[in-house]
Amino acid sequence: MKIRRVLATAVALAVTTPAALLSVSPAYADAKPTAQTQEKQSKPTIKELEEAAAEAQKAYDKAVKAEAAGRIELEKTLDDLSEVNGTHPLAVASAAAKQTAEDAAAAKTTADQAVTGAKAALDALTEDATEEERTAAETALSEAEATATAAATAKTAADTAAAEAREKLDDARVAAVRAYGVLQNAAENALAVKAAADAALAKAIKEAEEAGEGEEGGDCEPELDLTSKVTGLPDKLVAGTSTDFSLRVTNGSDRHMDEVLAFVSVHATDTSGLKDTEKFFRLQWSTKSAPKWQNADPDNYIDGVGALKPGAHADVKLRLTLDKATPAGNGVAFFAADFFNEDGTCGGAPDLDMYEFDVKAAGSKPGKTEDAKPSKTTRPGNTGTTPQGSASATPVTTGTNGSLAATGSSSATTSIALAGGAAVLLGAAAVFVVRRRKTGADA
């Protein structure tokens, strides 16, 4: 059972990266691994996690190679765009315009000096100068001034042309640097996906060893009648505020459960879908037996439910506080429940319920709000088929192998499928991010 929960945490940790992996750079597009066939099984295996980590490693290696090639191309481009000895047409044009401007400046200096000399010659004439001498001096001054005016006009035009040519050259340099920056970002995002996949594998192996399950699973089994229902979680939250809502865990089975744990995990990104913002969120809980507000444990479990008899339920009060600095964006909350008995048996809801909400910047008016509307998508191995989408008023679920069934969802699902094993593990959380980004782009 713990493998699924740990995987869900790793999925949410990587929720900001899959869209970036597929879209940051045309040069990196070739690094997209081939979509893999999703096997119908009840829980993810270590082998699946290993394959996902291998896919992420391949994508990262390809992104690193693209970045290295881009650096070489950038250096070559900047050399070609050098105004001193560059061979690019823009560099040649800028150098020529600069020389023309320098020549025009020199011509203006010469013309100005001629005006000064002509004035001095006219002023030097004495009263004994003839009319012809005075007329000649005045004519020379007039001609010098006309030449100086023309030279000044030519210099202004040459300076303008040189500035425009230099600006075009600078723009080309900036464009080259930005193109390389895209490849740098692609490598960074690919590294983030790789780290998330490696973390999911490492944690799954560790938890499997601790639970004594191994790759083939242990005594834990799915329990469809252990349900968790959320009420009061609005579809819009505002930074700088706290929201109280509740989770009801119900044992609808005919067996006694010695210890029931609720699983609650909240994650969010900014409006781009690329920046993880969950550090601004604080989730607390309280129950009838533990009325003091406290934080969920590091694994996102709430241990205040206790034992549940057949048909019994327990309510968990939840409080989600957003820091004032929380950026506007999108959020998602996962819910589930597990049980553990003294005889060593264990189990729980095989799927994670997912609720989406919008995050508004501090001071915003949330407008009309409604309870977050969950939806449902059938996990591989189930026989039923329920269309995905928040309008269906049933929880979104991720199968225990973290993958999504093809249930007629939006084109965002197809985009994520292109990411192969890594995106399979990202599951419903990744689809949520891509769908949100696509919606924002179409707005």
Side-chain angles (χ1 to χ4, degrees), residues 240-303:
T241 65
S242 293
T243 299
D244 290 352
F245 58 104
S246 62
L247 172 68
R248 171 164 289 187
V249 179
T250 302
N251 178 10
S253 72
D254 57 1
R255 65 170 130 184
H256 185 277
M257 298 179 181
D258 295 332
E259 181 183 10
V260 176
L261 300 180
F263 176 84
V264 182
S265 184
V266 179
H267 306 277
T269 69
D270 63 1
T271 53
S272 72
L274 299 177
K275 182 179 180 182
D276 177 12
T277 61
E278 65 183 76
K279 66 180 181 180
F280 298 103
F281 288 67
R282 182 186 182 195
L283 180 68
Q284 297 175 290
W285 64 271
S286 70
T287 62
K288 184 177 181 180
S289 61
K292 184 178 180 180
W293 287 107
Q294 52 189 298
N295 300 324
D297 68 23
D299 291 326
N300 299 308
Y301 278 101
I302 294 173
D303 58 7

Side-chain angles (χ1 to χ4, degrees), residues 357-433:
F357 56 85
D358 293 330
V359 178
K360 305 293 184 181
S364 299
K365 299 291 185 181
K368 183 179 180 180
T369 62
E370 300 178 354
D371 282 0
K373 302 294 185 183
S375 57
K376 196 175 193 68
T377 181
T378 305
R379 67 174 176 82
N382 284 358
T383 56
T385 301
T386 305
Q388 177 179 324
S390 61
S392 64
T394 53
V396 167
T397 61
T398 63
T400 55
N401 65 353
S403 59
L404 292 174
T407 57
S409 59
S410 70
S411 60
T413 306
T414 304
S415 297
I416 279 298
L418 295 175
V424 167
L425 291 181
L426 292 174
V431 172
F432 162 73
V433 170

